[in-house]
Amino acid sequence: MKKILVANRGEIALRIMRTARQMGIQTVAVYSEADRQAPHVRFADEAVLLGPPPSAQSYLLGDKIIEKALELGVDGIHPGYGFLSENADFARKVTAAGITFIGPDPHSIEMMGSKLAAKEAAKKFHVPMVPGIEQAITDVETAKEIGRKVGYPILIKASAGGGGKGMRIVEREEDTKEQMERAISEAISAFGDGSVFIEKYVTGPRHVEVQIMGDRHGNVVYLFERECSIQRRHQKVVEEAPSAILTPELRKAMGEAAVRVAKACDYVGAGTVEFLVDINREFYFLEMNTRLQVEHPVTEMITGLDLVEWQIRVARGEQLAFRQEDLQIHGHALELRVYAEDPLNNFLPSVGTLSTYRLPEGEGIRVDGGYTEGMEVPIYYDPMLAKLVVHAPTRTEAIQKMKEAIAAYEVEGVSTTLPFGRFVMDHEAFITANFDTHFVQHYYTPEKLIESHNPAAEVAALLALNLYLKEKDQLKVAEREASHWGRRAK
Ligand code: MV4
């Protein structure tokens, strides 16, 4: 592979191109009119304009991307995450054009894209599943029967959904009809597919996902787990590896279950198997994401592997150079997603210009970003500025390092989730690893954020320090003047 086109933008496009360059591979960026000056465009060896800012007229134009790739003699396309990354048709067209798709085969993407097909495949491989059914249902009476069998509350999920889209909780049997009708009509309008299924609703679960990697020679390994329970409205904000609640036995059981899911769909490359872990530490398969995930750096930190490098190597037909028994967890990693959002105003996107933008640096600190000082945050795309990642020998030290990194991260011009990150790092429930997916609902309010970090107190402290330094200078002068009188008592 000599030339890779990255069909993406921002931090992930940059991150992929950095590894490609290290491997001696040429890079091609694609960009929209909003991204003409973006770092991923400047970094690439070549760049092609796709069209106007909206994704549908730029980053989602699969045919145009393939056409440009062919013109430029590209031999591999990496889709990153989002956009075309889990589009089986795109993967198929890339391959048909004689270009290597750096990702799994289209049939794996398709199978895991259908939550029902995924559950059916996983069930055959004895992967634990939430009680419920693995068939599409339309009949309210059948739904009620399942509800009675597994116990309420139940969750109606859209087969074509995922990531929390198209889910409805049913608390009591008498609400089943209404919620089911809603779920079906939402699924039809959102996905063009009204298939829904039912699971028992697991209360207070943790979201733990397992990173897997497979090659074209039948090898699949798990690269341990990421704890992703700190999220708001299905948007993850803090992730960590390893999870503080897994025992070595549970880690092995979940890892092996994830490998079976991968084998169930002939998976090749980097993938993630999502599980729920309940209060009794029982785990259940949820879905599989057939892409490189946003939070992959925490796995890289604890394994020492470059996941993009292995995606590329596997795509060009190499065997994995490590077996399961070669892999070990080193230390603890945390990631904070730094969004241009206002945590004091319901996390609404905060657009504007980054008038000040300085990144923390230091050992064990990694920032995957796509912004520099003076840039504007475009309204057209995901408002993530960067991922702040830290790595330390222990979880406690990682939390400390994250707090220092947050303090050293300077942003002016837009609001960010940095103060929210500090709130999490300071929270008793996070420190003791005693939290679930409801952390934000349970513990977070803007008032608490202000309380936990009173800017007025900080200003007062700074003023006091300033005054002290000035006085110290005056004291020094006074001391010097007084010195010929002999030593003074301090
Ligand atoms: C669940 C659940 C409870 N019980 N399924 C949300 C995302 C999608 N991948 C599946 N999700 C859930 N499925 C059962 N049977 C709770 C969630 C859920 C959740 C899962 C992971 C991370 C955050 C979440 C937030 C709310 C609900």
Side-chain angles (χ1 to χ4, degrees):
M1 212 176 276
K2 295 197 176 68
K3 200 191 265 192
I4 287 176
L5 179 147
V6 181
N8 216 298
R9 65 179 300 280
E11 66 90 17
I12 196 62
L14 261 177
R15 188 259 165 276
I16 293 163
M17 290 193 279
R18 284 204 177 100
T19 289
R21 180 161 295 166
Q22 263 172 27
M23 296 172 78
I25 299 168
Q26 297 275 304
T27 56
V28 179
V30 294
Y31 63 97
S32 74
E33 283 163 13
D35 284 338
R36 283 181 188 280
Q37 303 294 323
H40 80 278
V41 178
R42 291 166 180 262
F43 184 89
D45 298 310
E46 293 170 273
V48 278
L49 175 67
L50 292 173
S55 308
Q57 297 170 57
S58 54
Y59 296 105
L60 287 172
L61 295 176
D63 291 341
K64 187 162 185 179
I65 291 170
I66 294 169
E67 188 190 306
K68 297 287 181 190
L70 287 171
E71 277 172 32
L72 293 173
V74 162
D75 45 19
I77 294 184
H78 195 307
Y81 55 69
F83 298 125
L84 297 163
S85 61
E86 290 176 288
N87 185 320
D89 286 336
F90 177 67
R92 203 170 275 125
K93 284 180 182 169
V94 170
T95 310
I99 300 171
T100 302
F101 180 76
I102 303 169
D105 290 336
H107 77 269
S108 311
I109 302 176
E110 241 151 30
M111 191 189 283
M112 293 296 140
S114 158
K115 304 308 146 195
L116 277 169
K119 288 191 77 159
E120 204 182 299
K123 197 179 182 182
K124 286 194 194 127
F125 281 69
H126 310 290
V127 175
M129 220 90 64
V130 188
I133 44 147
E134 286 83 47
Q135 281 86 44
I137 66 158
T138 47
D139 178 49
V140 178
E141 284 315 308
T142 316
K144 286 183 179 171
E145 224 170 86
I146 297 157
R148 279 195 292 272
K149 204 177 89 196
V150 301
Y152 285 86
I154 55 171
L155 200 54
I156 306 176
K157 296 184 174 183
S159 179
K165 275 176 265 162
M167 296 192 338
R168 293 230 151 235
I169 300 176
V170 186
E171 302 279 355
R172 298 162 306 166
E173 183 168 331
E174 51 269 39
D175 302 335
T176 309
K177 186 176 185 320
E178 192 192 334
Q179 294 294 57
M180 206 153 109
E181 281 164 0
R182 281 200 196 169
I184 292 171
S185 83
E186 276 174 16
I188 291 170
S189 65
F191 314 113
D193 173 3
S195 314
V196 299
F197 60 99
I198 290 178
E199 286 179 354
K200 180 175 176 59
Y201 180 66
V202 180
T203 47
R206 295 172 77 118
H207 172 126
V208 179
E209 57 186 34
V210 177
Q211 177 70 54
I212 65 97
M213 179 71 78
D215 65 19
R216 293 206 173 274
H217 306 270
N219 304 301
V220 185
V221 298
Y222 61 90
L223 303 175
F224 311 109
E225 76 282 1
R226 294 183 290 258
E227 160 73 62
C228 305
S229 298
I230 309 283
Q231 53 83 44
R232 45 169 297 281
R233 291 193 228 119
H234 307 295
Q235 169 95 281
K236 296 164 187 163
V237 194
V238 174
E239 298 107 337
E240 63 179 307
S243 165
I245 59 150
L246 296 204
T247 58
E249 295 72 34
L250 186 53
R251 175 166 297 121
K252 184 166 187 280
M254 290 180 73
E256 288 174 355
V259 167
R260 292 201 297 280
V261 174
K263 289 193 168 157
C265 66
D266 310 306
Y267 203 82
V268 171
T272 298
V273 182
E274 285 186 15
F275 295 99
L276 285 182
V277 179
D278 71 13
I279 41 168
N280 304 316
R281 295 196 193 173
E282 298 287 337
F283 67 92
Y284 310 97
F285 169 65
L286 273 185
E287 51 191 76
M288 179 170 189
N289 302 317
T290 56
R291 59 168 189 274
L292 181 72
Q293 295 208 192
V294 176
E295 61 273 25
H296 77 276
V298 292
T299 300
E300 297 188 320
M301 296 295 232
I302 62 151
T303 59
L305 295 169
D306 180 329
L307 294 191
V308 173
E309 177 189 339
W310 281 101
Q311 284 188 298
I312 294 171
R313 283 175 172 238
V314 160
R316 54 186 194 198
E318 287 180 39
Q319 285 213 41
L320 295 179
F322 38 84
R323 291 156 305 174
Q324 192 62 54
E325 55 269 31
D326 300 327
L327 296 164
Q328 247 188 310
I329 297 176
H330 301 279
H332 202 97
L334 293 170
E335 171 177 289
L336 169 65
R337 298 193 191 183
V338 184
Y339 287 104
E341 290 177 350
D342 188 357
L344 295 181
N345 189 12
N346 205 21
F347 293 89
L348 282 179
S350 170
V351 290
T353 301
L354 296 168
S355 52
T356 302
Y357 194 68
R358 286 182 210 126
L359 302 177
E361 287 171 22
E363 205 200 312
I365 297 177
R366 163 176 168 183
V367 183
D368 280 18
Y371 282 89
T372 50
E373 193 164 276
M375 272 176 71
E376 227 175 90
V377 182
I379 55 165
Y380 303 97
Y381 318 107
D382 182 276
M384 191 174 75
L385 296 178
K387 303 180 305 209
L388 174 54
V389 188
V390 299
H391 185 219
T394 64
R395 187 171 189 269
T396 308
E397 289 162 289
I399 291 174
Q400 184 55 34
K401 196 178 275 285
M402 178 61 90
K403 285 166 73 165
E404 287 162 19
I406 290 170
Y409 202 134
E410 292 178 54
V411 187
E412 277 168 35
V414 300
S415 301
T416 73
T417 47
L418 283 166
F420 175 77
R422 196 197 50 241
F423 172 86
V424 174
M425 296 302 132
D426 282 335
H427 201 283
E428 177 72 13
F430 185 75
I431 293 168
T432 58
N434 191 8
F435 57 86
D436 59 32
T437 52
H438 305 303
F439 177 92
V440 179
Q441 286 127 279
H442 281 169
Y443 302 119
Y444 179 73
T445 60
E447 290 73 30
K448 285 193 184 139
L449 185 68
I450 295 166
E451 252 170 60
S452 74
H453 183 74
N454 188 341
E458 193 171 75
V459 170
L462 280 173
L463 282 173
L465 178 68
N466 213 334
L467 207 64
Y468 164 77
L469 291 173
K470 267 189 205 145
E471 279 180 3
K472 210 172 74 173
D473 277 349
Q474 286 163 4
L475 277 175
K476 271 189 195 141
V477 174
E479 264 176 54
R480 234 178 285 130
E481 282 169 357
S483 63
H484 58 273
W485 288 348
R487 272 183 195 262
R488 287 165 21 144
K490 286 224 166 150

